[in-house]
Amino acid sequence: MTEEEAAAAANKKEALALKAQGNELYKARKFDEAIEAYSKALELYDGDVSFLTNRAAVHFEKGDYEAAIKDCDAAVEKGRELRADYALIARALSRKGTSLAKLGRLEEAVTAYNKSLTEHRTADTLKRLNEAEKTLKEQTEAAYVDMALSTQEKDLGNAAFKEARYPEAVAHYNEALKRGPPKVNPDAHKLYSNLAACYTKLGAYPEGLKAADRCAARRMDCSSDTRKAVWLCVIVVRLLHL
């Protein structure tokens, strides 16, 4: 072994000892000291991706999510270079996703989680992805709510229905529900009722049944089968009188 090789081996050994020290400091919640230990390990030896992923974990626990993301990105880059185990790269990407989620950057978080699952699938990452997608969807829907526009779309739907332009009426009623969903719209049941009538006119009976059931679920306190039967009768009566 050459002197250079011996020095490199000694540095690696010391770096691994520093990593072990950092792990203990992390467990003791001595985060600044743990970061220092991992940083020294990286200075001595940069061939172990876990130095970066562990330091990212400490940054995350401190609430320094930007630093955690930076270390995760560095870990992924180094992991590719070293042809590291896919699970290590996936872990870095998953932690990046969680850090992004903490910062409210949910679209980026979803992207990171999906990349992580491509590298290595775990139940934890899949759960985090589902949670991020659900929250993102809720936020998107909430930002889209506009009761004035909901009323406008309902009126356009009514006009289209009266002129037998049923596909257009369906589009307007669905848009009205997006702008004024049941959570914020006490008259949402009327939109579902209108949709049921449109679908029945179009011969789209399964869709009409679903719309009628959603309408009934918001207005009647009875079993699901009873609600469906009652509202199908309501639809028939409405059609007979149009």
Side-chain angles (χ1 to χ4, degrees), residues 156-166 169 173 194 197-198 201 242:
L156 289 171
N158 291 344
F161 186 91
K162 289 177 181 178
E163 296 175 6
R165 292 182 283 113
Y166 304 123
Y173 290 140
N194 291 352
C198 286
K201 281 285 193 180
L242 286 177

Side-chain angles (χ1 to χ4, degrees), residues 48-59:
D48 192 328
V49 178
S50 68
F51 297 172
L52 285 163
T53 56
N54 287 10
R55 191 171 69 179
V58 181
H59 285 309

Side-chain angles (χ1 to χ4, degrees), residues 19 45-53 72-93 116 118-120:
K19 173 190 171 182
Y45 178 67
D46 66 352
D48 192 328
V49 178
S50 68
F51 297 172
L52 285 163
T53 56
C72 288
D73 284 337
V76 172
E77 183 179 353
K78 177 59 69 173
R80 305 275 191 221
E81 178 186 326
L82 298 173
R83 298 183 181 277
D85 189 288
Y86 292 132
L88 280 174
I89 295 175
R91 190 180 308 155
L93 287 166
S116 175
T118 299
E119 298 289 340
H120 179 72

Side-chain angles (χ1 to χ4, degrees), residues 10-24 37 41 51:
N11 284 345
K12 180 178 179 180
K13 182 178 180 180
E14 185 179 350
L16 290 172
L18 283 166
K19 173 190 171 182
Q21 180 184 337
N23 292 346
E24 292 303 313
F51 297 172

Side-chain angles (χ1 to χ4, degrees), residues 71-229:
D71 270 352
C72 288
D73 284 337
V76 172
E77 183 179 353
K78 177 59 69 173
R80 305 275 191 221
E81 178 186 326
L82 298 173
R83 298 183 181 277
D85 189 288
Y86 292 132
L88 280 174
I89 295 175
R91 190 180 308 155
L93 287 166
S94 183
R95 182 164 288 124
K96 177 182 179 180
T98 305
S99 299
L100 287 165
K102 287 289 187 179
L103 291 170
R105 293 155 60 180
L106 292 174
E107 290 185 7
E108 294 174 75
V110 167
T111 298
Y113 287 138
N114 277 317
K115 286 182 178 179
S116 175
L117 291 168
T118 299
E119 298 289 340
H120 179 72
R121 293 186 71 83
T122 67
D124 181 67
T125 299
L126 183 59
K127 179 183 177 182
R128 292 177 187 275
L129 170 63
N130 291 336
E131 290 173 348
E133 287 180 330
K134 180 182 177 182
T135 302
L136 181 60
K137 181 182 178 183
E138 290 173 350
Q139 290 182 356
T140 301
E141 289 176 349
Y144 199 67
V145 169
D146 187 319
M147 289 305 300
L149 289 177
S150 177
T151 300
Q152 180 179 320
E153 289 293 333
K154 181 191 71 174
D155 292 341
L156 289 171
N158 291 344
F161 186 91
K162 289 177 181 178
E163 296 175 6
R165 292 182 283 113
Y166 304 123
E168 292 179 46
V170 167
H172 286 303
Y173 290 140
N174 278 321
E175 181 65 15
L177 280 165
K178 290 178 183 177
R179 290 292 188 178
K183 287 183 179 179
V184 298
N185 186 357
D187 290 330
H189 65 283
K190 296 179 182 178
L191 293 169
Y192 285 119
S193 178
N194 291 352
L195 273 171
C198 286
Y199 284 130
T200 305
K201 281 285 193 180
L202 290 167
Y205 301 115
E207 290 81 359
L209 183 57
K210 288 179 183 177
D213 195 41
R214 287 172 180 167
C215 173
R218 287 160 177 81
R219 297 297 293 178
M220 298 178 64
D221 185 16
C222 56
S223 70
S224 176
D225 287 342
T226 302
R227 289 199 304 268
K228 290 177 183 178

